[in-house]
Amino acid sequence: LVQLVESGGGSVQAGGNLTLSCATPALTPSGYCMGWFRQAPGKEREGVAAIFDRTYYAGSVKGRFIISEDDSEKTVFLQMNNLRPEDTAMYYCAVGIVTWPIGLLRDSKYDYWGQGTQVTVS
């Protein structure tokens, strides 16, 4: 069983920063494709960032968010800077067993998901 546990969400004012963490106790992050997704009320889930052979970002967060992983801690991070109200969403961590780095911001590429952590920006 692959368990992913997100943490670090919360409420911040616009312009503030948050860092989300995703614990992956059953696997070493660098051996897989790791992604962060978000879903706002009434909207479809969207890929925010992924890390595999390199890092990948959605255009709406590029330059503001940074995805990273720490194999020793078995944790994937999403550093979110200069947050905007439109970043408000439930954020999910996911792991994908992929071979080729194609379409890594699509949720269909991922096999296991965490329960999510809420981020609210006002």
Side-chain angles (χ1 to χ4, degrees), residues 10-55:
S11 297
V12 295
Q13 292 188 336
N17 306 323
L18 279 175
T19 297
L20 305 183
S21 299
C22 173
T24 65
L27 56 86
T28 302
S30 64
Y32 300 85
C33 179
M34 303 300 303
W36 284 98
F37 291 75
R38 67 186 182 188
Q39 187 167 23
K43 294 188 177 181
E44 293 187 355
R45 185 165 55 191
E46 64 170 339
V48 173
I51 183 167
F52 185 50
D53 57 321
R54 61 176 180 87
T55 56

